[in-house]
Structure formats: C-alpha cells, structure tokens
C-alpha cells in the first residue's frame, strides 16, 4: 500500500511509549506478533516519546528522544514494519524545565529568551489593577471574555535568581510542591526567638503534611512576620508548569522550525497541533481561537510543515454549533472527529441512528478529512456535541442538551469522572469531557464495544484506536484517585504488561476487533466511495465501494448483532457477529 493510501485508508494505533510493557520496544514486540499482521498502518505515539515532566507528556522539556522509553532502534523497527508515525507538537507551551525557561529564570531581563514566554503583568500593563499579591487583575470587560481551562487566573508565579517572583501565563497545568522546613531555615528572620521559631516550624510542616493552604496559617502574635516566614517556605518549594509561549517572538518561530524538522527526521508524517487555538493572545479577545490571528499563525505553521512533508492535524475542542470544525476543514486541514464518541454511545444506548447518520452524511457532503476515535488519552468529549448561539442566532448541536445530559449521567453511573470549565472567578460554567474507558462507558458490554468498533471503522475518516479499548480495558479507579490536577485522566491509561497482551489475544472481544481492524486496514473498498443507505431508525447500513471492491455493514441497534459483507480478491465473504 502506498504512503498516501496508508494515510487515507490505514488504521492508526494510539498509545504512550510505555502503555504496553515498559518501553516502546515492547509495543513493537506486540506489533510483530502474527495476530497484529496488517492490522495497523499508522501509530500515534503520545509525547512522553519526548522529554517531558507533567501532564503525561504534554509539558515538553525538549523534543529529543526520551531515552528512558525510546531508542533510535525503535524508529528503525517501526519503519521495517511499514508503520507511519503521528506525533504532537504542543504549540502553546513548554515546561518550566525547558532550556528556554531555565535560561529566563537564571538571567532575567538579560536572557536571550526574555520575550519567549508571556509575563502576565507586562501583557496586561495599563489594562488592569495591580493586586496585593503583585499580580495585575485585568479590567472586568477583558477578564469576562477570557476562556478558562482551570479556576483562577491562568498564571504561575515563578521565583527568579535575584529573589523576585513574577507571574507568567500558564493556561493549563501547574504542580507546586511544598517541602518541610527546618528550624535553621527561620533563624535569619529578625524578631523570632528560638522557642517561637520551633513552634512556627511545626505549624508550617503540619500544614504541608496535611496539604493545607500555607497562606491560611495563623501565626498568632507573629502574623506581622507572616510574609517573611512564607518567603522562606516558598524558597524551598518545587514546581512544574506548562508555560505559554509568546508567538510574537521570532525565537518561538525559530523553535517551531527546528522542531518540525526534528520530528520529520524521526519519521513523522502526521503532526497533531496540540492546544494551537490558545497560541494567539490579544487584549480584549477570549484568547481561544482569536480571529484572524489564529488563522495567521496556522498558515505560518503550515508553510513550515509543507517544507518537511508533514500533514497537519489541528486539535480543537469546541461546540458543534460554533462551527469551528467547519472553518478548519474548509481551510484544507484534517480535523478530529470529537463528535463520534458521544454519538456512538447515544446511538447504542437509545437504538437510534438519527444523530449519528446526520453527522456521517455531513462529513461526506462537505468532504471533511477526519481522524476519528472512540477512546483516547483524554476524556470522552461531550461539550463538542452542543449547540451554540452565534451572532444572535442559535445553531443547534448534533444532540439536544437533554440528550447530552443523558449520556453524561449514564457514563457517570458507570463510574466516569467529569472535567469542567471555569470562569475567571473559579465558578464552573460548563462540563468539558468525561473520563472513562470506552468499554466501561458502554456498561462493559462486549457486544456494544464490538459494534461500536464496527461503526467507527465504517465511518468516513482515519480510525484511531486507543490501545486500552482494543483490550476492553475497564475504569482504573485506583489510578484516578491519585492526587494531582490530571489524576482523573488516569482512569483510562492503565499500562498493560506483555502478559496482559497474551491473555487478551485468547479472548473473543480482542480477536474479533483485530479481524475488523485488519479488514479496514487492507480492503481497497475503503479507498472508494461511502454511501449511507436507507434503513429503519434502529439499524445501521453503510456501504463502501471502489470498482470491484466493496464492504457493507448492516447492524441491529436493539440486539447489537451485525454482519459485514465484503469482497476479497473477487470472492464474496461475510463476517457475522
């Protein structure tokens, strides 16, 4: 199969380098097994492939190989398997541990990278009021427009080598860890005697041990020394953060040039643009998909990608009614089909094909180039299905609000966790996604999972397969209950041992999925035309055809039984499930 055919017709595995076994070589060992022959043509390797330190890879230190998990030999082995690669570039941010941010912290205004990141106070200067904590609070008319991914202002206050602390723009995750202090740490604070220093030390350490807010500690008669005491505590803290880059800096674009060349050299063919919609920032805008600035940045990235023979896949979550997916597609980009997971659950739970087939016909009629999925490293999207008011007109969603709520409630009943969005005051304004394995979201019903997979494979687009779904993974509550801002996501990231793989390959749900994936990955029919055939509301009937090659899915949404009739080397065959 040629490269273009593999990209348009091939099935894509999706996993971390250590999702199977302990490192990428173990996943390659799995792909070399006879059971996986001709199953995958593409592999989306998540960004712990690179050096990173937070948010399971999406806080990039640098784009060099993470040698703890990946080797150059792995890249040669994947090339030998004839598997093309998809990677991420996290356009909006880099880690505090990146060489650029470390240089900034060390050298301050003398740093080559002084404008590489966004000093919050510099950005908002003249457009807000300085707070008591040394952080500018933007004017209300600006603050109310900001699209927030977490509660509170999107900042991380970082300590510079000269002892000052400055707030830098931090849209996504941060992790601050306080370490216990010793009596000796307080000895230089004038006015503290030995006895009181020991009491204060114990108060601070108890608050840290119990994970309480150190700023809420009552130092009683010594509250007048609170700022000095907390300065000592903060000097001993450690922190991680995804720091937003300043795309107005030429050095940022030099960095993008270098990075796209580097991932191309690794064998990348599809490049996912993570968080690209947050990159363009301007006072008075939402700073989420600002227009026309975001389009200008995207075009600039595209020019770099073209030089490196890369296909771009901009990643964006937005309500269907907003029409952003249509705008991106009309610019000629591939788009993520974030609508499919919720639509498939709705279809199977209600034995109703109306919404799913409406979307399928829209993809076909508009010529959208999509990458679709059921589960992924993140949650199951639900916000994406909603309608939205635009310029005074309400554009309906793919599902009504009550139908979306029903999906949410069903998945929550089955153990899912919710991720929400917030306003600048920290109030929840909307749900965002639900974290669960797709198998658990379907009530751990193998019939539903297998039919969901068949529907995905017959939908237009490149099918992306989360490794855990392939092995019917269940919600991992122990992992989800771990502390941290992204803990809820670990519910769907259980690492599988090679022993788990061997056991899985003895089960019908895994073997049947592999059979479907192999058909989708190899049949020429899927290079041709797709037709959504007329059927009753509780059935699915989808036909793919190219010359003498065809594949047709017929499914009953009440019984979850289905059959696939297809041609192979001129011979008619049927799979019945």
């Amino acid at each position: 199969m040629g490269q273009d055919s593999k990209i348009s017709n091939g099935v894509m595995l999706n996993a971390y380098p250590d999702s199977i076994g302990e490192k990428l070589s173990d996943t390659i060992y799995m792909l070399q097994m006879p059971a996986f022959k001709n199953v995958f043509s593409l592999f989306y390797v998540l960004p712990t492939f690179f050096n990173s330190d937070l948010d399971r890879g999406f806080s990039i230190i640098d784009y060099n190989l993470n040698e703890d998990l990946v080797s150059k030999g792995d890249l040669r082995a994947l090339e030998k398997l004839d598997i093309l690669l998809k990677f991420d570039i996290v356009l909006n941010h880099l880690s505090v541990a990146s060489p650029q941010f470390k240089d900034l912290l060390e050298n301050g205004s003398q740093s080559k990278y002084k404008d590489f990141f966004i000093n919050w106070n510099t950005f908002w200067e003249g457009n807000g009021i300085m707070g008591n904590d040394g952080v500018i609070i933007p004017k209300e008319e600006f603050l109310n427009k900001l699209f927030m991914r977490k509660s509170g202002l999107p900042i991380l206050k970082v300590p510079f080598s000269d002892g000052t602390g400055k707030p830098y723009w931090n849209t996504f995750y941060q992790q601050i860890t306080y370490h216990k202090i010793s009596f000796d740490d307080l000895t230089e604070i004038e006015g503290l005697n030995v006895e009181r220093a020991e009491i204060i030390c114990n108060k601070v350490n108890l608050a840290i041990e119990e994970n309480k807010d150190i700023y809420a500690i009552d130092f009683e008669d010594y509250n007048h020394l609170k700022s000095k005491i907390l300065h000592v505590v903060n000097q001993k803290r450690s922190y991680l953060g995804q720091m937003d880059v300043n795309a107005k800096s030429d050095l940022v674009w030099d960095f993008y040039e270098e990075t796209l060349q580097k991932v191309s050299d690794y064998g990348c063919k599809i490049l996912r643009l993570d968080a690209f919609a947050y990159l363009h920032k301007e006072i008075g805008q939402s700073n989420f998909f600002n227009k026309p600035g975001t389009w200008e940045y995207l075009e600039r990235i595209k020019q770099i990608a073209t030089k490196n023979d890369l296909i771009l896949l901009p990643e964006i979550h937005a309500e269907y009614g907003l029409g952003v997916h249509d705008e991106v597609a009309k610019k000629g980009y591939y788009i993520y089909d974030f609508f499919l997971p919720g639509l498939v659950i709705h279809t199977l739970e209600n034995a109703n094909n109306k919404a799913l087939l409406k979307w399928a016909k829209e993809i076909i009629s508009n010529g959208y180039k999509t990458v679709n999925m059921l589960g992924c490293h993140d949650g199951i999207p639900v916000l994406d299905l909603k309608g939205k008011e635009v310029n005074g007109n309400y554009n309906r969603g793919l599902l009504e609000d009550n139908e979306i709520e029903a999906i949410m409630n069903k998945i929550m009943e089955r153990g899912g966790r919710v991720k929400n969005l917030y306003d600048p005051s920290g109030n929840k304004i909307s749900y965002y996604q639900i974290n669960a394995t797709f198998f658990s979201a379907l009530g751990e019903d193998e019939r539903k999972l297998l039919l969901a997979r068949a529907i995905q494979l017959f939908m237009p687009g490149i099918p992306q397969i989360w490794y855990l779904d392939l092995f019917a993974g269940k919600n991992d509550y122990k992992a989800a209950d771990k502390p941290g801002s992204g803990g809820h996501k670990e519910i769907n990231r259980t690492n599988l041992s090679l022993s788990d793989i061997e056991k899985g390959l003895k089960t019908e749900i895994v073997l049947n999925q592999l059979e479907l994936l192999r058909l989708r990955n190899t049949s020429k029919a899927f290079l041709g035309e797709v037709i959504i055939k007329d059927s009753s509301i509780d059935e699915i009937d989808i036909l793919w055809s190219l010359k003498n090659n065809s594949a047709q899915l017929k499914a009953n949404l009440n019984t979850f039984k289905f059959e696939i009739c297809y041609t192979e080397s001129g011979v008619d065959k049927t799979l019945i499930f």
Side-chain angles (χ1 to χ4, degrees), residues 103-172:
D103 189 280
L104 171 66
L105 290 177
E106 180 64 27
N107 299 305
S109 61
Q110 302 304 310
S111 170
K112 172 183 178 181
Y113 300 103
K114 66 181 185 298
D115 297 321
F116 197 95
F117 300 92
I118 304 172
N119 182 311
W120 176 269
N121 285 350
T122 301
F123 183 92
W124 291 104
E125 188 175 2
N127 293 284
I129 299 172
M130 182 66 73
N132 294 331
D133 57 355
V135 177
I136 290 179
I137 302 171
K139 293 177 181 178
E140 188 173 356
E141 63 264 32
F142 300 142
L143 189 59
N144 289 340
K145 286 185 178 181
L146 289 181
F147 182 86
M148 297 293 205
R149 287 296 302 263
K150 60 186 180 183
S151 59
L153 293 176
I155 61 168
L156 176 61
K157 203 168 185 180
V158 295
F160 279 70
S161 59
D162 62 2
T164 62
K166 296 183 178 67
Y168 274 77
W169 205 309
N170 166 240
T171 294
F172 292 89

Side-chain angles (χ1 to χ4, degrees), residues 276-294:
F276 84 94
Y278 297 88
L279 183 62
H280 187 273
K281 293 179 174 65
E282 190 171 322
I283 290 169
Q285 296 205 32
S286 70
N287 296 316
F288 173 79
F289 214 104
N290 295 342
K291 300 174 186 177
T294 300

Side-chain angles (χ1 to χ4, degrees), residues 157-406:
K157 203 168 185 180
V158 295
F160 279 70
S161 59
D162 62 2
T164 62
K166 296 183 178 67
Y168 274 77
W169 205 309
N170 166 240
T171 294
F172 292 89
Y173 291 116
Q174 59 178 252
Q175 179 179 300
I176 298 174
T177 303
Y178 287 95
H179 304 284
K180 290 183 178 181
I181 63 173
S182 68
F183 164 79
D184 291 339
D185 295 321
L186 301 173
T187 54
E188 293 186 6
I189 298 178
E190 189 175 342
L192 269 185
N193 60 40
V194 173
E195 183 181 352
R196 294 307 300 177
E198 187 172 349
I199 292 171
I200 287 171
C201 182
N202 291 335
K203 274 180 176 279
V204 168
N205 289 340
L206 181 62
I208 291 172
E209 188 177 315
E210 295 179 350
N211 200 31
K212 292 182 178 178
D213 182 3
I214 63 166
Y215 290 91
I217 299 174
D218 182 4
F219 293 113
E220 300 173 0
D221 294 342
Y222 289 83
N223 276 328
H224 64 286
L225 297 176
K226 187 169 187 174
S227 62
K228 293 182 178 180
I229 296 168
L230 293 182
H231 176 73
V232 170
V233 177
N234 281 317
Q235 287 293 103
K236 296 198 70 173
R237 74 176 186 171
S238 59
Y239 62 96
L240 298 172
Q242 296 164 292
M243 312 311 291
D244 292 32
V245 301
N246 174 22
K248 294 178 181 178
S249 166
D250 288 339
L251 286 180
V252 168
W253 290 94
D254 291 343
F255 174 73
Y256 292 156
E257 289 266 7
E258 174 191 330
T259 300
L260 266 64
Q261 174 68 61
K262 185 174 289 188
V263 298
S264 178
D265 291 344
Y266 292 150
C268 179
K269 291 301 173 188
I270 300 177
L271 186 63
R272 176 181 181 265
L273 305 182
D274 183 76
F276 84 94
Y278 297 88
L279 183 62
H280 187 273
K281 293 179 174 65
E282 190 171 322
I283 290 169
Q285 296 205 32
S286 70
N287 296 316
F288 173 79
F289 214 104
N290 295 342
K291 300 174 186 177
T294 300
W295 291 123
E296 293 167 358
Y297 285 170
L298 200 52
E299 180 58 32
R300 195 168 172 182
I301 286 287
K302 186 178 181 181
Q303 291 173 11
I304 303 172
T306 300
K307 287 191 297 185
N308 291 285
D309 194 26
L310 296 170
I311 295 171
L312 295 183
L313 175 58
E315 180 267 342
I316 185 169
H317 282 283
E319 297 94 328
Y320 172 87
L322 199 59
V324 173
H325 65 282
D326 185 64
E327 290 185 64
V328 175
K330 283 179 177 175
K331 296 281 187 180
Y333 296 99
Y334 273 81
I335 59 171
Y336 257 121
D337 185 354
F338 285 129
F339 309 116
L340 185 63
L343 288 174
V344 168
I345 294 172
H346 171 79
T347 299
L348 296 180
E349 295 298 328
N350 296 281
N352 187 324
N353 66 21
K354 184 178 177 181
L356 176 72
L357 298 188
K358 174 183 180 292
W359 170 235
K361 291 174 182 177
E362 186 176 333
I363 295 173
I364 296 166
S365 63
N366 289 326
Y368 293 157
K369 296 180 294 185
T370 66
V371 173
N372 64 44
M373 74 202 67
L374 297 179
C376 68
H377 73 280
D378 223 337
I380 297 172
V382 285
L383 174 69
D384 305 65
L385 295 165
K386 287 176 64 67
K388 187 75 172 180
E389 186 174 311
V390 181
N391 298 325
N393 298 315
Y394 183 76
N395 298 331
R396 294 184 66 177
L398 286 169
L399 294 177
E400 299 298 329
D401 285 356
N402 65 310
E403 293 174 317
I404 297 172
E405 290 289 341

Side-chain angles (χ1 to χ4, degrees), residues 23 35 74 78 82 163 170 174 266 296 312 323 356 425 434 464 473 511 537 552 573 575:
K23 53 181 64 176
D74 295 334
L78 287 167
D82 204 21
N170 166 240
Q174 59 178 252
Y266 292 150
E296 293 167 358
L312 295 183
L356 176 72
S425 300
I434 306 181
Q464 179 177 291
L511 293 174
I537 201 166
Q552 186 171 9
K573 297 186 177 183
L575 299 174

